[in-house]
């Protein structure tokens, strides 16, 4: 799952009963949001939805293939 794949690399908060998670933007990756866009991965800054600064929100409400592709892009950015 998304949580299992990304939790070794990111600080993740999952609200109870939600179909999304808030993931902390790594301090070690400058221009993280811009880099995801370069890889054609659109993520939404967390402060759009809550008071979570320096987080982004990712939804589980997509098909499995799309979710796996996004996970692979996020993992590659952490290497």
């Amino acid at each position: 799952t998304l949580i299992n794949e990304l939790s070794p690399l990111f600080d993740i908060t999952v609200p109870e009963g939600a179909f999304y998670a808030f993931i902390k933007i790594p301090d070690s990756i400058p221009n993280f949001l811009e880099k995801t866009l370069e890889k054609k991965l659109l993520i939404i800054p967390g402060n759009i939805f809550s008071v979570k600064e320096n987080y982004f929100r990712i939804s589980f409400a997509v098909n499995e293939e799309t979710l796996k592709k996004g996970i692979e892009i996020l993992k590659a950015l952490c290497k």
Side-chain angles (χ1 to χ4, degrees):
T1 67
L2 177 129
I3 304 303
N4 293 337
E5 291 278 334
L6 296 179
S7 61
L9 303 169
F10 295 93
D11 177 20
I12 301 175
T13 302
V14 182
E16 283 188 44
F19 58 90
Y20 60 89
F22 286 104
I23 302 175
K24 189 170 188 328
I25 297 171
D27 295 330
S28 61
I29 305 175
N31 304 316
F32 180 79
L33 295 177
E34 290 85 358
K35 289 180 180 181
T36 62
L37 286 174
E38 290 170 7
K39 300 287 184 185
K40 303 202 182 320
L41 178 65
L42 176 63
I43 56 177
I44 307 299
N47 63 351
I48 300 295
F49 302 100
S50 76
V51 296
K52 291 204 170 283
E53 295 290 330
N54 300 319
Y55 281 75
F56 62 94
R57 183 174 135 159
I58 189 167
S59 172
F60 313 141
V62 296
N63 67 52
E64 191 171 336
E65 182 180 328
T66 301
L67 190 57
K68 284 182 180 180
K69 185 176 179 181
I71 289 169
E72 292 307 314
I73 292 169
L74 290 171
K75 287 168 57 176
L77 287 173
C78 289
K79 292 182 179 179

